[in-house]
Amino acid sequence: MKDYGASGASVESVPVANSSDVVSARQMVRTLAQRSGLSLVHQTKLVTAASELGRNMLIYGGGGVVRATTVADGGRSGIFVEFADQGPGIPDVELALTDGWTSGNGMGLGLSGAKRLVDEFEIDSGADGTTVRIVKWGR
C-alpha cells in the first residue's frame, strides 16, 4: 500500500483505551469521510470497518491509536485510516482473515468483513503489535 500517511494532508488521531474512545475514533472517521465528499454508502462502509477494527484493537491489542487523513491519488479522493496497537499480535493473520473464524465470542466477521468494506487493506502483525491500514475511495 502506498504511504498515504505522508501525503501532506493533516493527520488526525484518537488514542483508544476504552469503548468510548472507539466511538470517538469512529466519529473522527465519519467527519473526514463527510468532508471529503464520500457518498453516504461509502461513508457507512468506511465507518463500519473503522468500528470493527477499533473494537478489535481495543479487545485484542489492549488499545492503541487510530490515525486518519484525507488522501488523493490520480484524481480520486478518499480516506486513509491506520489502527496501531502494541498488543501480542495475531498468531495467524491468514486464518484471522478467514470468514467465520473467531478468536472470541464474535461472529467471525471483524477482519474479513472490514477488508470487504474498503478498497485497500493491509495488516502487519508481530509480537510488538498489530497495524491495520485501510483506504476507502470515493467513486
Side-chain angles (χ1 to χ4, degrees):
M1 177 181 289
K2 183 177 174 181
D3 184 8
Y4 295 109
S7 66
S10 66
V11 177
E12 297 186 36
S13 65
V14 172
V16 174
N18 56 54
S19 57
S20 64
D21 294 337
V22 174
V23 173
S24 296
R26 185 175 61 221
Q27 186 57 43
M28 172 188 67
V29 170
R30 179 181 305 283
T31 299
L32 282 172
Q34 289 170 336
R35 278 192 214 143
S36 74
L38 261 64
S39 71
L40 183 57
V41 169
H42 285 94
Q43 289 176 39
T44 301
K45 288 180 177 183
L46 177 62
V47 170
T48 300
S51 184
E52 287 294 323
L53 295 169
R55 198 167 28 245
N56 281 356
M57 183 178 69
L58 179 61
I59 293 168
Y60 302 110
V65 177
V66 178
R67 295 177 187 88
T69 188
T70 57
V71 292
D73 187 31
R76 61 185 179 164
S77 61
I79 303 296
F80 166 86
V81 189
E82 178 183 80
F83 305 81
D85 69 50
Q86 295 180 345
I90 302 170
D92 188 337
V93 172
E94 190 173 325
L95 179 62
L97 285 167
T98 303
D99 283 345
W101 183 86
T102 179
S103 63
N105 297 321
M107 295 171 37
L109 299 175
L111 284 178
S112 63
K115 183 176 180 180
R116 279 194 305 277
L117 291 169
V118 298
D119 300 309
E120 295 182 36
F121 182 97
E122 178 181 272
I123 185 167
D124 295 312
S125 189
D128 58 345
T130 300
T131 301
V132 178
R133 295 174 193 89
I134 60 173
V135 176
K136 185 67 180 169
W137 294 108
R139 297 279 181 243

